[in-house]
């Protein structure tokens, strides 16, 4: 570990490093090639192999991944994108970045995820894409409506920021044929420090996203090194993943079997410890198939409990305030009863790989005391 002291229950989330990340980043620094490089491309190849997909395109962040995916799916002004309100605001901001309209939908309060039925009920003639959010790491199975969406030309763009490594049936998330967007930010299941990835649906889509992430330049960095000019043939942004970040990601990927095992172990430890508490409902992330990213509970008097636990030095949090109630998205507000109720009840317990079972017992004991009349 690089950390001088082990993060504990005072932290809601924390990066987890295996010890080789600093040396990997130092090798890139010594090489003098900090931008997109062979290291970045190796990371893309390794992620694609891990997921069992033909291609993976790295970008600067999970938000960049969502923006690039929407652009690649040709979503734009006049289009509507169906999205659950229960997500980080980045999901909605990506929709606004392409000047499309968010159509907020409700969730299943047991999972905090949208369902196939809720999505289809919201589809209209203006719908160009749906964005299921894989909340807490749980996959969203759209098999029953996939043919209907495809028949209407509606793209499925998975916001899998929480869900790297999780499975949807027999396949890893990202390998089910949809446009899938991952985040590799500081506290994600796999961290690059900062970064993201788009899993494209075709080679043409991969080429489009590669041009988008490098200002519309058609030639790769390797090609440009051997020519005296280059061609800019489309709109683009500076969204490429630094090789420093990719080097960190490669180390993390080498140890992902440990990440997967430990995050499941810790989530199940919470489930056992929480079982005797009355009035507390654990949000189900389906740990047999998911790599859990969060451990969340629902309860009455959430705000009071939050303040009491924070006063005791326990790093509880709230993921997330519903977006349809935010001022920035007021024009698209509509009643979402399940989301609004959950938004008043959810509490995220400390959840990161530095925790021990003793830490978890301490958190749950404090929670039980805070809930006592």
């Amino acid at each position: 570990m690089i950390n001088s002291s082990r993060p504990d229950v005072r932290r809601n989330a924390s990066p987890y490093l295996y010890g080789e990340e600093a040396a990997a980043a130092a090798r890139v620094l010594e090489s003098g090639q900090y931008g997109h490089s062979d290291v970045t491309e190796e990371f893309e190849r390794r992620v694609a192999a891990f997921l069992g997909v033909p291609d993976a395109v790295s970008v600067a962040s999970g938000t960049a991944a969502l923006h690039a995916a929407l652009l690649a799916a040709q979503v734009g002004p006049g289009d509507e994108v169906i999205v659950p309100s229960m997500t980080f605001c980045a999901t909605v901001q990506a929709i606004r970045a392409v000047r499309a309209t968010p159509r907020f939908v409700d969730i299943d309060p047991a999972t905090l995820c949208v369902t196939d039925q809720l999505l289809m009920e919201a589809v209209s003639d203006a719908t160009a894409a749906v964005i299921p959010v894989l909340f807490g790491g749980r996959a969203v199975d759209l098999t029953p409506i996939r043919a209907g969406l495809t028949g209407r030309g509606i793209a499925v763009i998975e916001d899998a920021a929480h869900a790297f490594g999780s499975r949807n049936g027999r396949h890893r998330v990202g390998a089910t044929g949809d446009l899938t967007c991952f985040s590799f930010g500081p506290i994600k299941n796999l961290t690059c420090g900062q970064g993201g990835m788009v899993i494209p649906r075709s080679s043409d889509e991969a080429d489009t996203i590669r041009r988008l992430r490098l200002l519309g330049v058609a030639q790769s960095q390797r090609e440009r090194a051997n020519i005296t000019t280059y061609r800019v043939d489309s709109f683009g942004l500076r969204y490429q993943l630094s090789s420093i970040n990719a080097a960190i990601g490669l180390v993390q990927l080498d140890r992902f079997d440990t990440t997967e095992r430990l995050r499941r172990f810790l989530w199940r430890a919470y489930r056992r410890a929480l079982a005797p508490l009355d009035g507390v409902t654990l949000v189900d992330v389906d740990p047999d198939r998911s790599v859990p990213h969060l451990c969340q509970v629902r309860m009455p008097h959430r705000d009071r409990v939050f303040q009491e636990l924070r006063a005791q030095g326990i790093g509880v949090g709230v993921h997330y305030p519903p977006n349809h109630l935010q001022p920035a998205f007021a024009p698209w507000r509509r009643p979402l009863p399940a989301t609004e109720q959950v938004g008043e009840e959810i509490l995220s317990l400390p959840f990161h790989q530095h925790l021990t079972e003793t830490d978890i017992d301490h958190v749950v004991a404090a929670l039980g005391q805070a809930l006592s009349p």
Side-chain angles (χ1 to χ4, degrees), residues 57 59-75 81 83 87-98 129-134 156-162 179-183 195-199 209 212 237 239:
V57 185
V59 290
S61 68
T63 308
L66 287 165
H67 188 199
L70 286 161
L71 289 169
Q74 299 183 338
V75 177
V81 179
V83 62
T87 181
F88 186 46
C89 61
T91 316
V92 190
Q93 294 288 23
I95 297 168
R96 297 302 299 135
V98 299
V130 298
I131 302 184
V133 176
L134 282 57
V156 177
I157 301 173
E158 291 185 309
D159 181 343
H162 291 179
L179 260 169
T180 301
C181 301
F182 293 112
S183 170
M197 191 78 76
V198 183
I199 309 304
I209 297 168
L212 278 167
L237 295 156
Y239 272 178

Side-chain angles (χ1 to χ4, degrees), residues 77-217:
D79 290 331
E80 190 174 78
V81 179
I82 298 172
V83 62
S85 173
M86 185 56 65
T87 181
F88 186 46
C89 61
T91 316
V92 190
Q93 294 288 23
I95 297 168
R96 297 302 299 135
V98 299
R99 300 175 63 195
T101 299
R103 165 75 170 175
F104 290 118
V105 290
D106 224 339
I107 52 166
D108 177 352
T111 65
L112 307 191
C113 292
V114 73
T115 66
D116 56 340
Q117 182 179 353
L118 287 166
L119 285 177
M120 281 306 291
E121 288 173 354
V123 166
S124 72
D125 290 342
T127 305
V130 298
I131 302 184
V133 176
L134 282 57
F135 210 102
R138 185 188 182 100
V140 176
D141 185 9
L142 298 185
T143 302
I145 64 171
R146 190 171 303 279
L149 294 173
T150 301
R152 298 180 69 155
I154 297 172
V156 177
I157 301 173
E158 291 185 309
D159 181 343
H162 291 179
F164 186 79
S166 295
R167 292 184 180 274
N168 188 342
R170 295 181 296 108
H171 301 285
R172 295 272 189 188
V173 167
T176 55
D178 301 319
L179 260 169
T180 301
C181 301
F182 293 112
S183 170
F184 301 133
I187 59 170
K188 294 302 192 295
N189 293 353
L190 183 150
T191 184
C192 289
Q194 191 60 265
M197 191 78 76
V198 183
I199 309 304
R201 296 172 294 183
S202 66
S203 58
D204 287 346
E205 207 164 58
D207 290 342
T208 296
I209 297 168
R210 286 193 164 96
R211 287 193 299 272
L212 278 167
R213 73 170 176 195
L214 192 58
L215 301 166
V217 175

